[in-house]
Amino acid sequence: MKIKTAFFCQHCGYESAKWTGKCPSCGQWNTFVEEKVQKDVPLRNISWQEEKDNSRSNNFVTLSEVSGIEEERLLTPDGELNRVLGGGIVPGSLVLVGGEPGIGKSTLFLQNALQLKNITTLYISGEESAQQIKMRADRLQIKNDQFYLLTETSTQTIFQEIKKLRPQLVIIDSIQTLQSPLIESAPGSVSQIRETAAEMQRFAKESHTPVFLIGHITKDGSIAGPKILEHMVDTVLQFEGDQHYAYRILRTIKNRFGSTAELGIYEMTGQGLRQVTNPSEILISQREDMLSGVAIASTMEGMRPMLVEVQALVTQSVYGTPQRTVTGFDLRRLQLLLAVLEKRGGFHFGMKDVFLNIAGGIRVEDPSIDLSVLCALLSSYEDIAIGSNICFAGEVGLSGEIRAVNRIEQRIAEAEKLGFEKIFVSRYNKKGVDFSKFNIEVIAVGRVDEVYKGLF
């Protein structure tokens, strides 16, 4: 039997004919491992097709000769998943989903598969037994006679079962457990992941069957395996969240059929994942007492406006070196805002401990949260509470100016819908926007000192 070997970088998937100490692609040391990449196995034994389709033509054509037929998407009962995918599941698409262990990836797609009552779904598990999946399905309390389960890791066996069932949707949990008979290396290796993903891609495109691949991630948060895996698939989704909190966020990293700015929000419950249609009401705590150090920010997560609560605590430093501790916010951005307050506002934070937290356990990267962070810091510094009917939307520049942010009308409308009476925005957002059409009072400010005078 003819066997071919090669060396692969386990960090980025770079292939080399010989062992190298340092990877020339990613620069990592001692990551090359020898793997068997090819042996003589007849392709007909692993193909998903019954026979070769000779009617398909591969001749070149002009772009005008290609018919632009709009594919009908498969809508799931999960509105958040439909939003993230760009309007539903596209036939023949290959979707890769990554996330931390235990975050709820298997639960999310088992739940969605069980809810598709009129769709023949094949759920392939290489990590769990049928009894374990049955226990999770019983907890979800959803019954579906069109849902089929297969616990297998060999792609040859999987394609044989697919020929018998002819499913309309395939879910694989996970791609790192699959093994192709064309490759000698162990499951989860770079060459195995690349080959099994390529086989699933050929199956999805030629049969027009959507395939979901659930994938592992590395300790630095990237999807395990070669980078080519993300290039091969049509859509890459990231399922993230803190296991100590109930909320989960499904983000789009790549999407050939829609926008990458969308995201879905879920809440983990005892009966599975529940869609959060209005996250603003959940992320804003209902405070009975007026407390200092709390400000509400009107942010955008993708295309969705969302109001979050920013909590700050400024205290006198007991030790020699002041502490800067953040949760859900960029530490370097906090240091920048403190420097702006020190230089442009005259507030001395040099001997103060500063703690900052975004309530709800989510991480916000929208720059419009700067103004609310700054106001929460000032509120805790002065020990004066900000009114619970006030929110903020603005980016803070290095010279102390309040910069304009995008989609300001959606932010103001969301604040008005939730009952806020005032919102501080940048005066540079006035161009082309009629603030008089809103029932909420819009206060336009240009500098940090104007915000301080308006609040305190």
Side-chain angles (χ1 to χ4, degrees):
M1 184 176 295
K2 183 180 178 181
I3 297 177
K4 180 183 175 182
T5 62
F7 291 86
F8 292 92
C9 173
Q10 300 300 301
H11 187 265
C12 69
Y14 182 83
E15 182 178 352
S16 175
K18 61 181 181 179
W19 185 87
T20 307
K22 182 180 179 181
C23 177
S25 177
C26 63
Q28 297 292 320
W29 286 89
N30 298 324
T31 56
F32 276 92
V33 175
E34 185 178 14
E35 297 177 3
K36 298 175 182 178
V37 295
Q38 184 179 356
K39 69 176 184 178
D40 292 337
V41 176
L43 288 176
R44 65 178 182 272
N45 292 340
I46 66 158
S47 174
W48 67 272
Q49 293 178 317
E50 292 289 351
E51 57 184 13
K52 181 71 176 176
D53 186 7
N54 294 319
S55 62
R56 181 180 174 184
S57 174
N58 292 325
N59 298 331
F60 59 84
V61 294
T62 63
L63 186 61
S64 59
E65 294 174 350
V66 180
S67 59
I69 301 175
E70 185 70 24
E71 293 278 4
E72 289 191 7
R73 295 176 182 249
L74 173 63
L75 293 178
T76 70
D78 189 341
E80 298 295 300
L81 181 61
N82 291 335
R83 182 204 310 272
V84 169
L85 293 175
I89 303 173
V90 177
S93 62
L94 191 65
V95 182
L96 176 64
V97 186
E100 291 279 350
I103 205 70
K105 304 183 297 296
S106 301
T107 301
L108 174 65
F109 286 95
L110 178 63
Q111 177 177 310
N112 276 281
L114 290 172
Q115 289 175 345
L116 291 168
K117 302 292 186 181
N118 300 321
I119 301 296
T120 304
T121 304
L122 178 60
Y123 189 97
I124 302 167
S125 176
E127 298 179 344
E128 297 178 289
S129 66
Q131 289 75 19
Q132 289 176 301
I133 299 174
K134 172 66 175 175
M135 290 171 59
R136 184 185 293 119
D138 291 340
R139 190 175 75 248
L140 296 174
Q141 299 178 358
I142 306 174
K143 295 187 180 298
N144 186 355
D145 294 332
Q146 295 295 317
F147 178 83
Y148 296 89
L149 184 62
L150 175 64
T151 55
E152 182 57 56
T153 58
S154 172
T155 55
Q156 182 177 6
T157 308
I158 289 172
F159 287 135
Q160 289 175 355
E161 296 299 319
I162 286 176
K163 289 178 186 177
K164 301 175 187 176
L165 183 62
R166 298 290 181 183
Q168 298 168 274
L169 175 65
V170 176
I171 300 173
I172 297 175
D173 185 12
S174 63
I175 184 63
Q176 279 81 9
T177 61
L178 295 191
Q179 185 174 17
S180 171
L182 279 177
I183 305 295
E184 275 288 321
S185 55
S189 62
V190 171
S191 53
Q192 279 288 1
I193 294 175
R194 183 170 55 187
E195 178 62 29
T196 53
E199 292 179 15
M200 290 299 162
Q201 182 191 41
R202 288 194 295 268
F203 162 69
K205 299 304 178 186
E206 296 179 13
S207 66
H208 294 282
T209 304
V211 178
F212 283 87
L213 306 177
I214 299 176
H216 301 163
I217 66 170
T218 59
K219 60 183 180 181
D220 60 353
S222 59
I223 296 176
K227 196 67 177 178
I228 193 174
L229 177 62
E230 297 180 45
H231 290 287
M232 291 169 61
V233 300
D234 299 310
T235 306
V236 180
L237 306 180
Q238 188 85 10
F239 202 40
E240 58 190 42
D242 194 330
Q243 294 186 11
H244 302 290
Y245 291 90
Y247 304 113
R248 306 284 189 268
I249 294 179
L250 187 64
R251 296 185 186 273
T252 311
I253 299 176
K254 169 189 175 183
N255 192 357
R256 289 174 177 162
F257 309 113
S259 171
T260 57
E262 295 290 357
L263 84 164
I265 301 179
Y266 297 88
E267 181 183 8
M268 180 64 79
T269 66
Q271 288 77 38
L273 290 158
R274 184 183 68 84
Q275 303 175 50
V276 178
T277 55
N278 192 357
S280 299
E281 294 182 350
I282 297 175
L283 297 174
I284 300 176
S285 63
Q286 305 298 322
R287 293 171 289 149
E288 296 181 357
D289 301 325
M290 296 291 291
L291 302 175
S292 64
V294 178
I296 307 300
S298 181
T299 68
M300 294 290 296
E301 281 292 341
M303 304 293 288
R304 169 188 292 185
M306 189 167 65
L307 271 71
V308 298
E309 182 177 303
V310 180
Q311 301 172 343
L313 178 61
V314 179
T315 61
Q316 190 67 33
S317 179
V318 179
Y319 306 101
T321 305
Q323 299 183 59
R324 304 285 186 261
T325 305
V326 296
T327 303
F329 192 70
D330 187 8
L331 177 59
R332 290 173 295 182
R333 192 71 183 172
L334 172 63
Q335 293 170 341
L336 183 149
L337 294 175
L338 291 175
V340 170
L341 288 174
E342 188 99 20
K343 179 73 174 180
R344 308 298 177 187
F347 298 95
H348 302 292
F349 287 88
M351 295 304 296
K352 303 283 188 180
D353 289 337
V354 178
F355 305 92
L356 188 72
N357 176 48
I358 307 299
I362 69 169
R363 182 172 182 83
V364 180
E365 298 178 355
D366 186 2
S368 67
I369 199 175
D370 286 354
L371 186 57
S372 59
V373 170
L374 187 142
C375 293
L377 292 171
L378 291 175
S379 174
S380 181
Y381 184 92
E382 299 287 356
D383 201 17
I384 300 175
I386 299 175
S388 59
N389 60 346
I390 302 175
C391 64
F392 307 88
E395 181 183 355
V396 178
L398 290 179
S399 60
E401 80 278 12
I402 310 300
R403 303 176 63 86
V405 295
N406 62 349
R407 304 185 184 277
I408 190 63
E409 295 186 20
Q410 291 178 257
R411 300 172 193 266
I412 297 173
E414 180 73 8
E416 181 183 339
K417 184 176 70 173
L418 292 175
F420 286 86
E421 299 175 4
K422 296 180 182 179
I423 181 170
F424 282 77
V425 301
S426 170
R427 68 183 179 198
Y428 302 107
N429 272 122
K430 283 185 175 180
K431 297 179 181 178
V433 180
D434 183 16
F435 290 152
S436 61
K437 64 182 179 180
F438 298 103
N439 294 325
I440 185 174
E441 181 184 356
V442 181
I443 304 173
V445 291
R447 294 184 56 82
V448 173
D449 53 353
E450 296 179 33
V451 181
Y452 181 80
K453 292 175 184 177
L455 287 176
F456 310 107

